[in-house]
Amino acid sequence: MAATNEQIQQAVESFFLLFNGVIIFLMSFGYTLIESGGVRSQNAGHSLFKTLLILITSAIAYWISGYAFSFGGDANVILGTRFWASERFGAKDRYPNVENFTSSNNIYKLNNQDPYIHYFYHYMLAFLVTNIAASSFAERCRVPVYVLFSIIMSGFVYPFLAHWMWGTNGWLGAVVGARDYGGSAIIFLTAGVAALIGTIFLGPRFGRFEPRTLPLFGHSIPVTSVGAILVAFGFFVLNSGADHRITGRAYGDRVGHGLVNTLLSGATSGGTYYLLQRIIENIQSSPKHLKRRVFLSTVNSILAGMVAVAGGAVAYNPWSAVIIGFIAALSFLLWSKLLIKIQIDDPVETAAVHIGGGLWGIFAVPIFRRTIGPNVNGEFVEDVFNSIIYRFGYGESWRGLLNSLCTAAVVMAWTAFFIGLLFLLLKLLNLLKVSKEEELRGIDLFQHGEPAYALRIYCAACGEQLQGKTIEQETNGAGARSNFPTIVTDAEGAIVPIEYFSDRHGTGNSTDTSKIKSLNEENRV
């Protein structure tokens, strides 16, 4: 028997959502590669293991409670109340009274997707939020923190916000009337605030701000580049698929707008930031070793533009995306410099990217959103929405700014309270941060027993690559730094801490001093 139009549409929409979920999974690992390449080599493996750990724990937490809070049946304005641990979920022929398909409501929900694909897609968003936030804890966070953080974020904090904006009867979307199509606030601002709270409690890495502010360079631009490509790929899918529909002329048009707007906003933001940063450096005439990591920061500015446009990428005209990207670059630059000024150490600028981009992005929606929109059947309808650019004199247009303000305030307060409470308890229990020795000589070996690279590469800088000379001179003026590991070479000529040399060659404490290499000479930029 030939498939009906409804069955074909269901298959198309389900596959569209499935494809988007898989790409968002890759996007999450793109963030991991950006983090791994942006930290020092002795901590790269820790960043990779962190993502694996978050994948495991968040999957269980979201299955037990996360999906039920977000999209469970019998939902009220605060939370869903069914589908705990997927109880009575799916299988219409076995459970006639269970909703098999998500509501076809044109504003809040999807259109005839399979419920398990719906679950898979939204779990990937929860995983993405958690993984993004945790990247700011790099190079100094203990393993149990990631476990507890993942459970709280994916099983409790994020699901409530998702329900309030996108769930049936959620109070932000259904009652207040706020809109955040692609998650500028619900996904990315949430991640940014959690990242900021976590890194405040963790404190700076050793040597980052003492004796004076010095950059701690990442070890691999190629790894960061691959991660950036995956994340950008994910943004194209996430932003253009914000409606979770593709059938119908209007939805096809919105998917196309989402792709183009994401590209333009990211490109404008990255280009603007790069030019501004070069101008600032030329004016300040900064020494070479104090210059900003322009590659990583330019990548982050591109991502900030994509974060900012996510809130309404499907609803903007392309010229609006250019303006949004330009302002996103300024917002990211200001947040980045502010955090450094107040000595908050965010290794890969996670908080600056996602607070700077996400906060601006949620306010851009009521300013630039087109008035045209789709109906239930996927056809165009005129004058569906109000926005300040197109309906300047309408009160409803300006009310959108209040809705966005409400959304931003709720996201920031909700996330900051629960993540702050978690990190406060962990700090009181002394479970938060690794020791100074572990941080300097590498979390990979101390926490995991295995480096990400061979020792001859892994220990090339031993904790503070490219900066030994400057820090040593400022510490005691004699070129000797008592709190920095002694460096020797192994049989292959690799520079390693003296303890590893002794352990591998059985020399105990009687190390041949003739093999000691100067940290300044071997690891200078």
Side-chain angles (χ1 to χ4, degrees):
M1 185 177 67
T4 64
N5 289 338
E6 182 180 356
Q7 291 172 329
I8 294 174
Q9 184 187 31
Q10 179 194 338
V12 170
E13 302 292 5
S14 293
F15 180 78
F16 181 62
L17 196 64
L18 171 63
F19 175 79
N20 289 359
V22 171
I23 299 303
I24 292 171
F25 179 72
L26 297 178
M27 178 184 180
S28 297
F29 282 94
Y31 271 105
T32 299
L33 292 179
I34 291 176
E35 175 193 348
S36 181
V39 301
R40 292 162 292 179
S41 59
Q42 66 266 33
N43 300 317
H46 184 66
S47 296
L48 299 172
F49 181 78
K50 171 267 300 180
T51 299
L52 184 64
L53 200 61
I54 289 175
L55 175 66
I56 295 170
T57 52
S58 65
I60 301 300
Y62 195 76
W63 174 68
I64 293 174
S65 64
Y67 187 81
F69 284 140
S70 296
F71 302 102
D74 298 333
N76 54 46
V77 296
I78 302 299
L79 75 163
T81 59
R82 291 172 56 187
F83 307 150
W84 308 102
S86 66
E87 183 266 340
R88 294 184 62 81
F89 182 67
K92 186 175 183 179
D93 57 331
R94 296 178 60 190
Y95 301 104
N97 296 322
V98 174
E99 297 91 340
N100 251 302
F101 304 103
T102 57
S103 169
S104 60
N105 183 296
N106 189 45
I107 297 178
Y108 307 112
K109 299 295 289 179
L110 316 182
N111 185 67
N112 277 345
Q113 282 96 0
D114 179 86
Y116 287 97
I117 294 177
H118 181 248
Y119 172 95
F120 173 79
Y121 175 84
H122 284 284
Y123 162 67
M124 286 304 160
L125 294 182
F127 173 49
L128 176 67
V129 172
T130 307
N131 195 41
I132 290 173
S135 64
S136 68
F137 313 156
E139 300 203 89
R140 62 215 193 275
C141 186
R142 298 182 65 181
V143 170
V145 176
Y146 292 121
V147 175
L148 296 175
F149 176 76
S150 176
I151 292 172
I152 296 298
M153 272 296 285
S154 58
F156 182 80
V157 173
Y158 168 75
F160 271 86
L161 295 172
H163 175 75
W164 294 345
M165 178 61 70
W166 299 319
T168 303
N169 301 322
W171 70 271
L172 273 176
V175 179
V176 175
R179 295 290 181 269
D180 185 11
Y181 297 100
S184 282
I186 302 301
I187 296 175
F188 300 110
L189 182 58
T190 300
V193 172
L196 178 61
I197 297 300
T199 198
I200 288 173
F201 275 95
L202 282 166
R205 293 166 292 172
F206 180 74
R208 181 65 177 92
F209 297 114
E210 295 180 358
R212 65 190 179 99
T213 301
L214 291 169
L216 300 180
F217 294 97
H219 78 282
S220 178
I221 287 179
V223 171
T224 300
S225 301
V226 174
I229 292 170
L230 288 176
V231 173
F233 185 31
F235 268 112
F236 289 136
V237 170
L238 177 61
N239 291 358
S240 65
D243 289 324
H244 308 152
R245 284 192 61 177
I246 195 172
T247 58
R249 289 192 305 159
Y251 284 111
D253 174 81
R254 285 165 71 87
V255 169
H257 272 80
L259 289 168
V260 173
N261 290 335
T262 301
L263 175 63
L264 290 176
S265 183
T268 304
S269 181
T272 300
Y273 173 85
Y274 182 81
L275 292 175
L276 288 175
Q277 185 59 39
R278 286 305 189 192
I279 291 172
I280 292 171
E281 287 182 353
N282 288 333
I283 292 175
Q284 294 178 343
S285 300
S286 301
K288 183 179 180 181
H289 67 280
L290 292 179
K291 284 189 176 181
R292 198 172 173 82
R293 302 166 296 176
V294 175
F295 179 83
L296 177 59
S297 294
T298 303
V299 165
N300 283 335
S301 184
I302 293 172
L303 300 186
M306 293 181 171
V307 166
V309 83
V314 296
Y316 297 140
N317 281 314
W319 65 266
S320 301
V322 173
I323 297 175
I324 291 169
F326 176 78
I327 298 177
L330 300 180
S331 179
F332 164 67
L333 182 62
L334 291 174
W335 273 96
S336 180
K337 291 189 175 298
L338 173 63
L339 295 183
I340 293 175
K341 185 71 174 177
I342 60 179
Q343 297 194 348
I344 293 178
D345 181 19
D346 188 355
V348 288
E349 301 177 307
T350 303
V353 170
H354 297 91
I355 296 178
L359 196 57
W360 158 234
I362 192 61
F363 285 100
V365 176
I367 298 175
F368 296 103
R369 179 174 54 183
R370 295 182 297 166
T371 59
I372 191 173
N375 62 17
V376 175
N377 298 320
E379 296 299 325
F380 289 106
V381 179
E382 296 288 345
D383 300 326
V384 176
F385 304 114
N386 295 305
S387 62
I388 293 174
I389 291 293
Y390 299 104
R391 296 287 188 273
F392 185 82
Y394 283 49
E396 285 297 314
S397 301
W398 293 93
R399 181 186 172 188
L401 283 179
L402 295 178
N403 294 342
S404 294
L405 178 62
C406 177
T407 301
V410 167
V411 167
M412 297 176 74
W414 177 265
T415 306
F417 177 79
F418 287 104
I419 299 304
L421 182 62
L422 170 66
F423 274 82
L424 177 61
L425 292 174
L426 290 172
K427 190 167 186 175
L428 292 175
L429 295 174
N430 198 28
L431 296 174
L432 199 56
K433 192 174 182 180
V434 300
S435 67
K436 184 182 295 184
E437 182 183 28
E438 291 176 294
E439 183 182 333
L440 284 175
R441 304 185 186 182
I443 299 177
D444 287 3
L445 286 178
F446 275 83
Q447 291 279 316
H448 307 290
E450 52 185 352
Y453 303 99
L455 280 178
R456 64 194 308 269
I457 301 173
Y458 162 79
C459 290
C462 190
E464 288 181 9
Q465 55 212 109
L466 315 179
Q467 299 170 59
K469 180 178 179 181
T470 301
I471 298 179
E472 286 177 7
Q473 289 178 342
E474 293 187 3
T475 303
N476 54 26
R481 187 177 179 187
S482 59
N483 61 354
F484 199 85
T486 306
I487 304 297
V488 301
T489 57
D490 67 5
E492 298 176 312
I495 304 172
V496 299
I498 190 170
E499 290 83 356
Y500 300 145
F501 178 86
S502 302
D503 291 343
R504 292 177 68 187
H505 297 280
T507 57
N509 296 323
S510 58
T511 305
D512 185 357
T513 57
S514 65
K515 294 182 179 180
I516 296 179
K517 294 280 187 178
S518 167
L519 180 66
N520 297 338
E521 296 302 321
E522 297 294 332
N523 299 294
R524 185 183 299 168
V525 220

